[in-house]
Short mmCIF file of all heavy atoms in Angstrom, two decimals:
data_model
loop_
_atom_site.label_atom_id
_atom_site.label_comp_id
_atom_site.label_asym_id
_atom_site.label_seq_id
_atom_site.Cartn_x
_atom_site.Cartn_y
_atom_site.Cartn_z
N ILE A 14 25.49 -23.70 121.80
CA ILE A 14 24.05 -23.85 121.92
C ILE A 14 23.46 -22.56 122.48
O ILE A 14 23.79 -22.14 123.58
CB ILE A 14 23.68 -25.03 122.85
CG1 ILE A 14 24.36 -26.32 122.37
CG2 ILE A 14 22.18 -25.19 122.96
CD1 ILE A 14 23.98 -26.77 121.00
N ASP A 15 22.57 -21.95 121.70
CA ASP A 15 21.88 -20.73 122.13
C ASP A 15 20.42 -21.09 122.35
O ASP A 15 19.61 -21.05 121.43
CB ASP A 15 22.02 -19.63 121.07
CG ASP A 15 21.46 -18.30 121.52
OD1 ASP A 15 20.68 -18.27 122.50
OD2 ASP A 15 21.79 -17.28 120.89
N SER A 16 20.10 -21.48 123.59
CA SER A 16 18.74 -21.94 123.88
C SER A 16 17.73 -20.81 123.90
O SER A 16 16.54 -21.05 123.71
CB SER A 16 18.71 -22.71 125.21
OG SER A 16 19.20 -21.92 126.25
N ASP A 17 18.17 -19.57 124.11
CA ASP A 17 17.25 -18.43 124.07
C ASP A 17 16.75 -18.20 122.64
O ASP A 17 15.57 -17.93 122.43
CB ASP A 17 17.92 -17.16 124.59
CG ASP A 17 18.25 -17.24 126.07
OD1 ASP A 17 17.53 -17.97 126.79
OD2 ASP A 17 19.20 -16.58 126.51
N ARG A 18 17.66 -18.28 121.68
CA ARG A 18 17.29 -18.05 120.27
C ARG A 18 16.98 -19.34 119.52
O ARG A 18 16.63 -19.32 118.35
CB ARG A 18 18.43 -17.30 119.56
CG ARG A 18 18.64 -15.89 120.12
CD ARG A 18 19.84 -15.20 119.55
NE ARG A 18 19.81 -15.14 118.09
CZ ARG A 18 20.88 -14.93 117.33
NH1 ARG A 18 22.07 -14.78 117.90
NH2 ARG A 18 20.78 -14.88 116.03
N MET A 19 17.15 -20.49 120.22
CA MET A 19 16.91 -21.82 119.65
C MET A 19 17.74 -22.02 118.38
O MET A 19 17.24 -22.38 117.32
CB MET A 19 15.43 -22.06 119.39
CG MET A 19 14.60 -22.07 120.66
SD MET A 19 15.16 -23.25 121.91
CE MET A 19 14.72 -24.78 121.14
N GLN A 20 19.06 -21.78 118.54
CA GLN A 20 19.99 -21.92 117.43
C GLN A 20 21.26 -22.62 117.90
O GLN A 20 21.61 -22.60 119.06
CB GLN A 20 20.38 -20.55 116.86
CG GLN A 20 19.25 -19.82 116.18
CD GLN A 20 19.72 -18.49 115.61
OE1 GLN A 20 20.66 -17.88 116.10
NE2 GLN A 20 19.04 -18.05 114.57
N ILE A 21 21.93 -23.23 116.92
CA ILE A 21 23.25 -23.82 117.14
C ILE A 21 24.23 -23.05 116.27
O ILE A 21 23.99 -22.86 115.08
CB ILE A 21 23.27 -25.31 116.75
CG1 ILE A 21 22.27 -26.11 117.57
CG2 ILE A 21 24.69 -25.88 116.89
CD1 ILE A 21 22.11 -27.55 117.11
N ARG A 22 25.32 -22.60 116.87
CA ARG A 22 26.36 -21.91 116.11
C ARG A 22 27.38 -22.94 115.64
O ARG A 22 27.95 -23.68 116.44
CB ARG A 22 27.04 -20.86 116.97
CG ARG A 22 28.16 -20.13 116.24
CD ARG A 22 28.75 -19.01 117.10
NE ARG A 22 29.94 -18.45 116.53
CZ ARG A 22 29.97 -17.55 115.56
NH1 ARG A 22 28.83 -17.12 115.04
NH2 ARG A 22 31.11 -17.08 115.10
N VAL A 23 27.57 -22.97 114.34
CA VAL A 23 28.58 -23.85 113.74
C VAL A 23 29.79 -22.97 113.46
O VAL A 23 29.72 -22.04 112.68
CB VAL A 23 28.07 -24.49 112.44
CG1 VAL A 23 29.15 -25.33 111.79
CG2 VAL A 23 26.82 -25.32 112.71
N GLU A 24 30.90 -23.26 114.14
CA GLU A 24 32.12 -22.49 113.94
C GLU A 24 33.04 -23.23 112.99
O GLU A 24 33.25 -24.44 113.13
CB GLU A 24 32.83 -22.24 115.27
CG GLU A 24 32.09 -21.29 116.17
CD GLU A 24 32.85 -20.99 117.46
OE1 GLU A 24 33.90 -21.62 117.72
OE2 GLU A 24 32.36 -20.13 118.22
N ALA A 25 33.59 -22.49 112.04
CA ALA A 25 34.54 -23.05 111.08
C ALA A 25 33.98 -24.28 110.39
O ALA A 25 34.62 -25.33 110.32
CB ALA A 25 35.87 -23.34 111.74
N GLY A 26 32.77 -24.14 109.86
CA GLY A 26 32.14 -25.23 109.11
C GLY A 26 32.77 -25.34 107.74
O GLY A 26 33.89 -24.90 107.50
N LYS A 27 32.03 -25.91 106.81
CA LYS A 27 32.55 -26.08 105.45
C LYS A 27 32.98 -24.73 104.89
O LYS A 27 32.28 -23.74 105.04
CB LYS A 27 31.48 -26.70 104.55
CG LYS A 27 32.00 -27.06 103.19
CD LYS A 27 30.98 -27.81 102.38
CE LYS A 27 31.59 -28.16 101.04
NZ LYS A 27 30.65 -28.89 100.20
N GLY A 28 34.13 -24.69 104.29
CA GLY A 28 34.67 -23.45 103.78
C GLY A 28 35.21 -22.57 104.89
O GLY A 28 35.43 -21.37 104.70
N ASN A 29 35.39 -23.16 106.08
CA ASN A 29 35.89 -22.44 107.25
C ASN A 29 35.02 -21.24 107.60
O ASN A 29 35.50 -20.21 108.05
CB ASN A 29 37.35 -22.01 107.04
CG ASN A 29 38.08 -21.85 108.35
OD1 ASN A 29 37.73 -22.50 109.34
ND2 ASN A 29 39.07 -20.99 108.37
N LYS A 30 33.69 -21.39 107.40
CA LYS A 30 32.76 -20.30 107.67
C LYS A 30 31.92 -20.62 108.90
O LYS A 30 31.61 -21.77 109.18
CB LYS A 30 31.83 -20.08 106.47
CG LYS A 30 32.57 -19.59 105.24
CD LYS A 30 31.62 -19.35 104.11
CE LYS A 30 32.39 -18.85 102.89
NZ LYS A 30 31.52 -18.65 101.74
N ASP A 31 31.55 -19.57 109.63
CA ASP A 31 30.66 -19.70 110.76
C ASP A 31 29.23 -19.47 110.28
O ASP A 31 28.99 -18.68 109.37
CB ASP A 31 30.99 -18.66 111.84
CG ASP A 31 32.38 -18.85 112.42
OD1 ASP A 31 32.99 -19.90 112.20
OD2 ASP A 31 32.85 -17.92 113.10
N ARG A 32 28.29 -20.19 110.90
CA ARG A 32 26.88 -20.01 110.54
C ARG A 32 26.03 -20.51 111.70
O ARG A 32 26.53 -21.09 112.65
CB ARG A 32 26.54 -20.74 109.26
CG ARG A 32 26.73 -22.24 109.31
CD ARG A 32 26.42 -22.91 107.97
NE ARG A 32 26.87 -24.27 107.95
CZ ARG A 32 26.26 -25.30 108.52
NH1 ARG A 32 25.14 -25.11 109.16
NH2 ARG A 32 26.75 -26.50 108.45
N TYR A 33 24.74 -20.27 111.59
CA TYR A 33 23.78 -20.76 112.58
C TYR A 33 22.83 -21.74 111.92
O TYR A 33 22.55 -21.64 110.73
CB TYR A 33 22.96 -19.60 113.17
CG TYR A 33 23.73 -18.75 114.13
CD1 TYR A 33 24.42 -17.63 113.69
CD2 TYR A 33 23.79 -19.07 115.48
CE1 TYR A 33 25.14 -16.84 114.56
CE2 TYR A 33 24.51 -18.29 116.36
CZ TYR A 33 25.18 -17.18 115.90
OH TYR A 33 25.90 -16.40 116.77
N THR A 34 22.35 -22.69 112.71
CA THR A 34 21.32 -23.61 112.24
C THR A 34 20.26 -23.70 113.34
O THR A 34 20.49 -23.29 114.48
CB THR A 34 21.91 -24.99 111.90
OG1 THR A 34 20.89 -25.79 111.28
CG2 THR A 34 22.44 -25.70 113.12
N VAL A 35 19.10 -24.21 112.98
CA VAL A 35 17.97 -24.25 113.91
C VAL A 35 18.18 -25.32 114.97
O VAL A 35 18.86 -26.32 114.75
CB VAL A 35 16.64 -24.49 113.16
CG1 VAL A 35 16.33 -23.33 112.25
CG2 VAL A 35 16.66 -25.78 112.39
N LEU A 36 17.57 -25.08 116.12
CA LEU A 36 17.59 -26.01 117.24
C LEU A 36 16.16 -26.24 117.67
O LEU A 36 15.49 -25.30 118.11
CB LEU A 36 18.42 -25.42 118.39
CG LEU A 36 18.44 -26.18 119.71
CD1 LEU A 36 19.07 -27.56 119.53
CD2 LEU A 36 19.19 -25.40 120.77
N SER A 37 15.69 -27.44 117.55
CA SER A 37 14.31 -27.74 117.94
C SER A 37 14.24 -27.93 119.46
O SER A 37 15.23 -28.32 120.10
CB SER A 37 13.81 -28.99 117.23
OG SER A 37 14.41 -30.14 117.79
N PRO A 38 13.06 -27.68 120.04
CA PRO A 38 12.90 -27.92 121.48
C PRO A 38 13.19 -29.37 121.86
O PRO A 38 13.79 -29.63 122.90
CB PRO A 38 11.44 -27.55 121.75
CG PRO A 38 11.09 -26.59 120.66
CD PRO A 38 11.87 -27.05 119.46
N ALA A 39 12.79 -30.31 121.00
CA ALA A 39 13.02 -31.73 121.29
C ALA A 39 14.53 -32.03 121.32
O ALA A 39 15.00 -32.77 122.20
CB ALA A 39 12.33 -32.61 120.26
N LEU A 40 15.28 -31.46 120.38
CA LEU A 40 16.73 -31.69 120.36
C LEU A 40 17.39 -31.05 121.56
O LEU A 40 18.28 -31.64 122.17
CB LEU A 40 17.36 -31.16 119.07
CG LEU A 40 18.87 -31.32 118.95
CD1 LEU A 40 19.30 -32.78 119.12
CD2 LEU A 40 19.37 -30.75 117.64
N LEU A 41 16.95 -29.86 121.94
CA LEU A 41 17.51 -29.20 123.12
C LEU A 41 17.31 -30.07 124.35
O LEU A 41 18.24 -30.25 125.15
CB LEU A 41 16.87 -27.82 123.31
CG LEU A 41 17.35 -27.03 124.53
CD1 LEU A 41 18.85 -26.78 124.48
CD2 LEU A 41 16.58 -25.72 124.64
N THR A 42 16.13 -30.65 124.50
CA THR A 42 15.85 -31.54 125.63
C THR A 42 16.79 -32.75 125.61
O THR A 42 17.36 -33.11 126.64
CB THR A 42 14.38 -32.01 125.59
OG1 THR A 42 13.54 -30.86 125.68
CG2 THR A 42 14.07 -32.97 126.72
N GLN A 43 16.97 -33.34 124.44
CA GLN A 43 17.85 -34.51 124.31
C GLN A 43 19.31 -34.15 124.61
O GLN A 43 20.04 -34.92 125.25
CB GLN A 43 17.72 -35.14 122.93
CG GLN A 43 16.41 -35.83 122.69
CD GLN A 43 16.15 -36.94 123.69
OE1 GLN A 43 17.01 -37.77 123.96
NE2 GLN A 43 14.95 -36.97 124.26
N LEU A 44 19.74 -32.99 124.13
CA LEU A 44 21.12 -32.56 124.39
C LEU A 44 21.35 -32.32 125.87
O LEU A 44 22.42 -32.65 126.40
CB LEU A 44 21.45 -31.30 123.58
CG LEU A 44 21.63 -31.49 122.09
CD1 LEU A 44 21.81 -30.14 121.39
CD2 LEU A 44 22.80 -32.42 121.78
N ARG A 45 20.36 -31.75 126.55
CA ARG A 45 20.49 -31.53 128.00
C ARG A 45 20.58 -32.85 128.74
O ARG A 45 21.38 -33.01 129.68
CB ARG A 45 19.32 -30.69 128.51
CG ARG A 45 19.45 -29.24 128.15
CD ARG A 45 18.29 -28.41 128.64
NE ARG A 45 18.56 -26.99 128.42
CZ ARG A 45 17.62 -26.07 128.33
NH1 ARG A 45 16.34 -26.40 128.45
NH2 ARG A 45 17.95 -24.81 128.14
N LYS A 46 19.76 -33.84 128.36
CA LYS A 46 19.82 -35.16 128.98
C LYS A 46 21.18 -35.81 128.74
O LYS A 46 21.78 -36.39 129.65
CB LYS A 46 18.71 -36.06 128.43
CG LYS A 46 17.34 -35.72 128.93
CD LYS A 46 16.30 -36.65 128.32
CE LYS A 46 14.90 -36.26 128.73
NZ LYS A 46 13.88 -37.11 128.09
N HIS A 47 21.65 -35.70 127.50
CA HIS A 47 22.96 -36.26 127.14
C HIS A 47 24.06 -35.61 127.99
O HIS A 47 24.94 -36.30 128.52
CB HIS A 47 23.23 -36.02 125.65
CG HIS A 47 24.62 -36.30 125.23
ND1 HIS A 47 25.08 -37.57 124.97
CD2 HIS A 47 25.67 -35.47 125.03
CE1 HIS A 47 26.36 -37.50 124.64
NE2 HIS A 47 26.73 -36.24 124.65
N TRP A 48 24.00 -34.30 128.12
CA TRP A 48 24.99 -33.53 128.89
C TRP A 48 25.06 -34.04 130.33
O TRP A 48 26.15 -34.27 130.86
CB TRP A 48 24.61 -32.06 128.83
CG TRP A 48 25.57 -31.15 129.51
CD1 TRP A 48 25.50 -30.68 130.80
CD2 TRP A 48 26.75 -30.56 128.96
NE1 TRP A 48 26.55 -29.86 131.07
CE2 TRP A 48 27.34 -29.76 129.96
CE3 TRP A 48 27.35 -30.64 127.71
CZ2 TRP A 48 28.50 -29.05 129.74
CZ3 TRP A 48 28.51 -29.93 127.51
CH2 TRP A 48 29.08 -29.15 128.51
N LYS A 49 23.90 -34.20 130.95
CA LYS A 49 23.86 -34.64 132.35
C LYS A 49 24.28 -36.11 132.48
O LYS A 49 25.03 -36.46 133.39
CB LYS A 49 22.45 -34.45 132.91
CG LYS A 49 22.10 -33.01 133.14
CD LYS A 49 20.68 -32.86 133.65
CE LYS A 49 20.31 -31.40 133.79
NZ LYS A 49 18.90 -31.21 134.16
N ARG A 50 23.78 -36.95 131.58
CA ARG A 50 24.06 -38.39 131.65
C ARG A 50 25.55 -38.69 131.51
O ARG A 50 26.09 -39.55 132.18
CB ARG A 50 23.26 -39.11 130.57
CG ARG A 50 23.41 -40.62 130.59
CD ARG A 50 22.50 -41.34 129.60
NE ARG A 50 22.39 -40.67 128.32
CZ ARG A 50 21.25 -40.24 127.79
NH1 ARG A 50 20.11 -40.41 128.41
NH2 ARG A 50 21.23 -39.64 126.61
N HIS A 51 26.23 -37.96 130.63
CA HIS A 51 27.63 -38.24 130.35
C HIS A 51 28.60 -37.33 131.08
O HIS A 51 29.81 -37.47 130.91
CB HIS A 51 27.88 -38.18 128.84
CG HIS A 51 27.14 -39.24 128.10
ND1 HIS A 51 27.53 -40.57 128.10
CD2 HIS A 51 26.01 -39.20 127.38
CE1 HIS A 51 26.68 -41.28 127.39
NE2 HIS A 51 25.74 -40.49 126.95
N GLY A 52 28.08 -36.39 131.87
CA GLY A 52 28.94 -35.52 132.65
C GLY A 52 29.88 -34.68 131.79
O GLY A 52 31.04 -34.50 132.14
N CYS A 53 29.36 -34.19 130.68
CA CYS A 53 30.18 -33.39 129.76
C CYS A 53 30.59 -32.09 130.46
O CYS A 53 29.87 -31.56 131.29
CB CYS A 53 29.40 -33.06 128.50
SG CYS A 53 28.82 -34.52 127.62
N THR A 54 31.75 -31.59 130.09
CA THR A 54 32.22 -30.33 130.67
C THR A 54 32.34 -29.23 129.62
O THR A 54 32.02 -28.09 129.90
CB THR A 54 33.59 -30.52 131.35
OG1 THR A 54 34.50 -31.06 130.40
CG2 THR A 54 33.47 -31.43 132.55
#
Side-chain angles (χ1 to χ4, degrees):
I14 305 299
D15 187 342
S16 57
D17 293 332
R18 295 174 55 200
M19 295 305 289
Q20 293 181 333
I21 299 172
R22 178 176 171 80
V23 176
E24 290 183 353
K27 187 173 181 181
N29 205 28
K30 295 182 180 178
D31 297 346
R32 61 182 168 78
Y33 286 92
T34 188
V35 295
L36 173 63
S37 73
L40 179 56
L41 179 59
T42 299
Q43 290 301 313
L44 288 174
R45 285 179 172 157
K46 286 180 184 177
H47 168 81
W48 183 265
K49 288 178 184 175
R50 183 174 41 239
H51 295 285
C53 302
T54 56

